[in-house]
Amino acid sequence: MFTKINSGGIRGIEGFFVSVEADVSNGLPAFSISGQLASEVREAQERVRTALKNSGFQLPAKKITVNLSPAGVKKGGTAFDLPIAVAVLGAFGVLDIRQLEDSMIIGELGLDGTVKPVTGILVQTAAARDRGLKRCFLPEENRTEGILAEGIEVIGVRSLAQMAELLNGRKVGVFGETGWTENEASKKVLTQFRENMLVPDKAYDVDFKEINGQGVLRRAAEVAAAGMHGLLMCGSAGTGKSMVAARIPSILPGLTWQENIEISKVYSVCGQLPYSHPVLSKRPFRSPHHTISPQGLTGGGRFPKPGELSLASGGVLFLDELPHFSRGAIEALRQPLENRRIVVSRAEYSCEFPADFLIVGAMNPCPCGFFPDRNRCRCTETQIRGYLRRLSRPILERFDICVEAAPVSFHELEGRNLKNESSAAIRNRVERAVKIQKKRFEGTDIRFNSHMGSGELNRYCRLGEKERDFAQKVYEARGLSARSYHKALKTARTIADLEEEPQIKREHLAEAFGYRILEERLWGQEKN
């Protein structure tokens, strides 16, 4: 007898439809699975065979053939165990699977027949909904994540025996404690998640009010957050660079529900979503170690998965000790910073991953961190040049804002009479600036000033006569490159937006050009 069950796989961060076909016939007893399978899928026959036995199903000795279609697409993961088991039981006539034509089944089986959670549920459930299916049978621990896809009935399954009971004992779609359907209960879960997102302060354990001094870094972080401008901080160890970077997500605009779902999809595929609360509800903050490989940053592998750049999408990617990253890892940033996406190509297909993040870098001025204080710095000029040469000019120019982290005075460090501004107050200004940009770029795919092209620069960054004369003097005196000048214009536009000024003024340009001085000094030291 032939049967067919709907299931799904993952390619990159997208789900695709898989048809699990099973046939039982006379002949030498055997259990074979075909369809371009990874090792963990080929091993499913042993897990399924044992799970069936331990679930109380005594099947006659027959030839069992299972095919995962389309056969020309490589399939990995353990999510095909449960659909294979159901298809086999249907082929033996043990289960009535006629009611599963509009359903998808996903789940890993333990040897005792329990259904174990798998990764990528949010992606696969959304793919099933988009294909027109009405319900999904998922592992019980994944059911809350499946609900987030919305528009499709989600049913949690704890074991293979329970799955058989649901199909033979009751009509699909009406379950009590044994299932989870898209009814009032699931809507309450979605409402609760959305309400949690409305109070962003509760999502972060850190706040800008905890930072004493460093007014320049605080201001630079605010401008960077308002326009999604890359930020590079240079200063000796212990001046607060990492503290500022860790608090930048707390001043970014709050997540919309759609943004949260898109970010959570990446984390779902990577298996980094908690089962109890399968949405992030806050901007990501990723800080990979400097020993990370280029592939670890961009993503890839035999079955390509997102890397750190994609996990930081929608939030902050913090690269501490930037010159210590390998040259390959640093240069791998160039294209994603421009295109805000990553394409990983394989012989048979390619995957596209998001990479729309705010990059924040931190570095010391020399290997020991004390240059130019020659009373403490013992680094030779050759050592300093070698240290800075790790950062190419194109990479330095990817940072719109480059600032120096000066040592904090004892009075600032003690902070008895200081009233530091909170993240909430800074975020209010950032959100007002973001609204201005949203209205400015309405109808385009541009969201922030840092994403502007030449056409938008000519339209939205026009300078008055006095401002143009000032910009020309700075451009010629400092020998700026065209890219560096355009970066300064974009930053000046964001500074004006923070002050809700329709026109860029001289003081906005002066601040923006000031954020390029460190880059020029670093590049000058490298050349010398």
Side-chain angles (χ1 to χ4, degrees):
M1 182 176 175
F2 171 81
T3 57
K4 184 168 64 173
I5 296 294
N6 302 321
S7 189
I10 299 175
R11 180 186 294 167
I13 58 170
E14 299 294 332
F16 66 93
F17 188 79
V18 175
S19 179
V20 179
E21 304 168 337
D23 181 79
V24 174
S25 60
N26 295 323
L28 292 175
F31 193 148
S32 61
I33 306 178
S34 61
Q36 270 214 54
L37 313 176
S39 59
E40 65 269 19
V41 185
R42 288 196 297 270
E43 293 165 355
Q45 56 182 303
E46 300 301 328
R47 292 192 296 272
V48 170
R49 192 201 311 269
T50 307
L52 288 170
K53 176 179 69 72
N54 291 331
S55 297
F57 296 102
Q58 300 298 326
L59 303 177
K62 296 278 188 177
K63 181 180 179 180
I64 303 172
T65 304
V66 175
N67 179 56
L68 304 188
S69 176
V73 177
K74 191 76 173 179
K75 305 167 192 72
T78 57
F80 298 110
D81 292 3
L82 182 59
I84 289 174
V86 172
V88 169
L89 289 175
F92 274 104
V94 176
L95 298 182
D96 181 8
I97 63 169
R98 290 174 296 177
Q99 51 191 323
L100 295 179
E101 292 181 359
D102 55 0
S103 301
M104 175 179 279
I105 301 178
I106 299 169
E108 176 185 341
L109 285 176
L111 297 183
D112 59 352
T114 58
V115 179
K116 299 182 178 181
V118 295
T119 61
I121 286 294
L122 182 55
V123 170
Q124 296 190 69
T125 308
R129 176 201 61 201
D130 296 340
R131 192 176 175 87
L133 300 182
K134 294 182 179 179
R135 69 182 61 85
C136 256
F137 291 87
L138 309 172
E140 177 71 18
E141 292 180 79
N142 289 133
R143 68 181 185 181
T144 306
E145 181 181 339
I147 290 171
L148 300 178
E150 297 186 81
I152 186 168
E153 186 180 16
V154 176
I155 302 168
V157 181
R158 299 184 183 89
S159 66
L160 181 57
Q162 184 198 16
M163 184 73 193
E165 179 188 349
L166 293 176
L167 294 179
N168 285 345
R170 305 181 184 182
K171 182 181 178 182
V172 171
V174 184
F175 303 103
E177 296 179 355
T178 58
W180 188 281
T181 61
E182 192 179 9
N183 52 19
E184 294 302 320
S186 62
K187 292 177 181 177
K188 287 181 180 179
V189 173
L190 291 170
T191 302
Q192 180 183 358
F193 286 151
R194 287 192 171 103
E195 288 177 349
N196 290 340
M197 291 172 55
L198 297 178
V199 191
D201 288 335
K202 293 183 178 180
Y204 301 99
D205 299 326
V206 294
D207 197 286
F208 263 94
K209 66 183 178 183
E210 300 163 347
I211 298 179
N212 294 332
Q214 293 298 4
V216 173
L217 293 189
R218 293 170 64 96
R219 171 63 175 175
E222 178 179 342
V223 176
M228 293 296 282
H229 300 284
L231 171 63
L232 176 62
M233 298 175 285
C234 180
S236 57
T239 52
K241 303 185 295 294
S242 298
M243 288 184 66
V244 170
R247 284 156 178 78
I248 291 179
S250 69
I251 64 173
L252 289 173
L255 282 171
T256 65
W257 179 251
Q258 187 59 36
E259 284 178 323
N260 202 348
I261 292 298
E262 292 304 316
I263 293 172
S264 297
K265 281 183 179 180
V266 177
Y267 280 75
S268 175
V269 170
C270 294
Q272 297 192 30
L273 280 181
Y275 300 134
S276 58
H277 191 83
V279 284
L280 293 185
S281 299
K282 63 179 181 180
R283 299 280 179 182
F285 179 80
R286 305 293 298 187
S287 182
H289 193 262
H290 62 259
T291 57
I292 192 171
S293 66
Q295 184 173 304
L297 276 176
T298 60
R302 190 177 174 190
F303 291 92
K305 282 193 174 183
E308 288 292 332
L309 303 188
S310 298
L311 290 169
S313 193
V316 175
L317 176 69
F318 178 47
L319 303 180
D320 199 6
E321 302 292 347
L322 184 59
H324 287 294
F325 282 78
S326 70
R327 189 64 178 260
I330 293 176
E331 294 302 317
L333 297 170
R334 292 172 63 171
Q335 186 176 7
L337 287 174
E338 290 294 327
N339 300 332
R340 302 190 299 280
R341 64 187 180 91
I342 300 167
V343 177
V344 178
S345 298
R346 293 293 178 265
E348 298 178 354
Y349 62 90
S350 62
C351 299
E352 183 174 308
F353 300 138
D356 191 2
F357 52 84
L358 171 59
I359 185 169
V360 179
M363 60 180 289
N364 295 332
C366 67
C368 75
F370 293 114
F371 184 82
D373 184 358
R374 280 306 186 178
N375 292 325
R376 294 190 292 175
C377 178
R378 296 293 183 267
C379 300
T380 65
E381 292 185 4
T382 302
Q383 289 175 324
I384 295 174
R385 285 197 300 269
Y387 179 76
L388 297 177
R389 195 173 288 124
R390 292 174 174 267
L391 303 179
S392 65
R393 184 67 184 269
I395 286 297
L396 284 174
E397 288 183 339
R398 259 50 174 204
F399 292 94
D400 297 6
I401 301 174
C402 301
V403 291
E404 188 171 1
V408 180
S409 68
F410 179 79
H411 172 72
E412 292 174 326
L413 184 62
E414 193 178 48
R416 288 184 178 180
N417 299 321
L418 296 179
K419 292 185 179 180
N420 298 325
E421 197 172 23
S422 68
S423 292
I426 301 173
R427 186 172 59 250
N428 287 336
R429 291 196 298 271
V430 169
E431 288 181 339
R432 287 198 297 269
V434 170
K435 287 181 181 178
I436 293 173
Q437 295 169 71
K438 183 179 180 181
K439 184 177 180 181
R440 175 182 297 136
F441 303 123
E442 190 174 6
T444 70
D445 59 352
I446 298 174
R447 295 187 299 157
F448 299 100
N449 291 328
S450 61
H451 300 166
M452 287 191 292
S454 58
E456 290 77 25
L457 279 172
N458 294 331
R459 181 176 180 182
Y460 301 117
C461 297
R462 291 182 178 178
L463 302 179
E465 185 176 347
K466 293 181 179 179
E467 289 76 18
R468 187 164 52 251
D469 291 342
F470 174 73
Q472 182 179 355
K473 290 178 181 178
V474 175
Y475 181 82
E476 294 175 351
R478 288 164 49 177
L480 299 178
S481 68
R483 176 183 288 168
S484 187
Y485 174 67
H486 289 155
K487 294 280 187 181
L489 277 184
K490 295 175 185 179
T491 306
R493 179 66 271 171
T494 299
I495 296 170
D497 289 342
L498 282 168
E499 298 181 6
E500 301 184 46
E501 290 284 352
Q503 296 295 325
I504 297 176
K505 297 183 178 180
R506 177 169 174 162
E507 56 266 29
H508 304 147
L509 286 170
E511 182 179 350
F513 282 128
Y515 291 141
R516 310 300 304 175
I517 293 176
L518 178 63
E519 176 225 329
E520 297 163 24
R521 192 168 78 232
L522 292 173
W523 176 243
Q525 290 176 3
E526 180 183 337
K527 290 191 297 183
N528 296 333

